[in-house]
Amino acid sequence: MAAPGSDIEHGYPHLDTVRAAITALYHRLSRDTVDTFGLSVVPGDVAFADQDDLYLGVQRVARVMVQHLRLPDARMIVSFREMRHAGNVELAAGPEYFIELNSRFKTHRRDIGAALAHEVAHVYLHRLDLSFPGTRDNEILTDTTAAYLGTGWLLLDAYRQDSVSSQKLGYLTPEEFGYVLAMRALLFNEDPSPWFTSPQAYEAYAKGLELARRERARPPLTAAGWTGRRRYAKDRRAAQSGHPSPTGGDYAFDTGPPLSVSFPCPTCRQRIRVPVRGRLRARCGLCRTVLECDT
């Protein structure tokens, strides 16, 4: 949790780990299970007014997170204490999980849903037995899971910054949160932008959406623009001539024989390999997305 007035990191420093987290979710859950999270938590279900009872309200919002992530057997016991981070969860066998939130949330209740989205995602991943090695990468996996499965838009909305103060929850940068939310939006045709109360969150989402859309317009996909197609054709000729395999960013040639090209699926980021033989339709073996290609 960024302290008031602190610098907030921007850009995409963790993008490789974020992409690996999305791929890991598909490997662990399957496309059918991912599809069951097509509707996000809506703002009305996690609204928290100042006049609401603190502990009853926290339990209500925690229950929304538990139900959204299909954790019917998990009962959350939430308390508050002074700490450096936004929250902490004790991961045990269940059926009870103990969550501690920063005491600051007693008077900043609008962000309690964001903090709980992250902590309950920890519980969800614990029950899935899905983790990344190292604290940093595992926290990035947790943020990515929350955002991709429909609760993490709250974490981006908690990002606020002005001339005298700043706040950000989670380990992803605002733009990385925007990217994950955009990947979800393009998959489910769900636009989270009307839910943002923070103008900075809206801007970060717009930047993430721009990146996610560019990924869907790169060769060998037929949606690629003229410049990308021209570079791809040049790299393909070099590969056909037996030169060291050029890479045009995402794609890479394998001289085989036969000559083939690999590239990441724009939905799940799993790499796909297809023969170089002109126009064809490829199907991702992991998320089953059908892709129109011109190889």
Side-chain angles (χ1 to χ4, degrees):
M1 181 167 61
S6 67
D7 292 331
I8 291 177
E9 188 174 25
H10 288 276
Y12 303 94
H14 317 112
L15 190 56
D16 288 344
T17 307
V18 168
R19 288 167 171 166
I22 292 174
T23 304
L25 280 176
Y26 277 95
H27 274 292
R28 187 65 181 86
L29 294 179
S30 82
R31 174 60 185 267
D32 290 336
T33 302
V34 170
D35 283 347
T36 65
F37 292 96
L39 297 176
S40 291
V41 166
V42 296
D45 288 345
V46 292
F48 206 131
D50 288 340
Q51 62 268 25
D52 291 346
D53 180 271
L54 176 63
Y55 290 95
L56 291 178
V58 167
Q59 290 296 330
R60 173 179 57 81
V61 176
R63 190 161 53 250
V64 169
M65 301 299 172
V66 167
Q67 291 172 349
H68 181 83
L69 292 177
R70 282 61 159 176
L71 294 170
D73 298 327
R75 188 163 70 94
M76 304 294 164
I77 299 175
V78 185
S79 61
F80 296 85
R81 72 174 176 88
E82 295 292 334
M83 66 176 81
R84 177 185 176 187
H85 300 289
N88 180 60
V89 62
E90 178 183 322
L91 296 174
E96 294 180 341
Y97 293 91
F98 297 89
I99 294 176
E100 295 177 316
L101 296 182
N102 193 300
S103 296
R104 177 176 179 273
F105 291 118
K106 287 184 177 181
T107 54
H108 293 76
R109 299 182 181 186
R110 63 183 290 188
D111 297 321
I112 284 178
L116 288 173
H118 180 89
E119 301 307 330
V120 177
H122 267 303
V123 175
Y124 181 72
L125 291 169
H126 175 69
R127 290 170 69 96
L128 283 180
D129 194 25
L130 176 59
S131 63
F132 279 178
T135 298
R136 168 188 168 275
D137 286 359
N138 204 51
E139 295 291 352
I140 291 171
L141 170 64
T142 303
D143 279 343
T144 302
T145 297
Y148 202 76
L149 297 186
T151 62
W153 68 267
L154 289 158
L155 285 157
L156 179 55
D157 194 43
Y159 163 51
R160 291 182 288 278
Q161 194 165 21
D162 56 36
S163 59
V164 296
S165 65
S166 60
Q167 172 184 279
K168 184 186 77 68
L169 300 184
Y171 286 71
L172 301 186
T173 68
E175 293 79 14
E176 287 167 342
F177 269 121
Y179 170 78
V180 179
L181 292 172
M183 294 283 280
R184 171 184 170 82
L186 293 172
L187 176 65
F188 293 120
N189 193 29
E190 178 190 71
D191 180 12
S193 58
W195 302 334
F196 294 133
T197 61
S198 162
Q200 292 80 23
Y202 184 90
E203 293 171 4
Y205 172 70
K207 291 177 181 178
L209 181 59
E210 181 182 357
L211 175 58
R213 283 175 170 163
R214 286 203 306 268
E215 290 181 348
R216 284 159 170 72
R218 291 176 177 171
L221 300 176
T222 57
W226 180 84
T227 302
R229 295 297 311 160
R230 185 173 182 179
R231 179 179 179 180
Y232 178 84
K234 179 182 177 181
D235 291 343
R236 181 179 58 199
R237 287 194 299 270
Q240 290 169 332
S241 300
H243 291 88
S245 176
T247 60
D250 283 347
Y251 61 80
F253 290 99
D254 183 350
T255 55
L259 181 66
S260 62
V261 62
S262 65
F263 60 96
C265 170
T267 298
C268 69
R269 305 302 301 178
Q270 173 84 6
R271 291 197 73 83
I272 300 170
R273 184 180 300 276
V274 295
V276 174
R277 63 182 189 196
R279 283 186 173 264
L280 56 83
R281 181 173 291 175
R283 183 185 180 95
C284 177
L286 180 58
C287 70
R288 306 199 303 268
T289 299
V290 176
L291 304 169
E292 298 291 339
C293 305
D294 187 355
T295 60

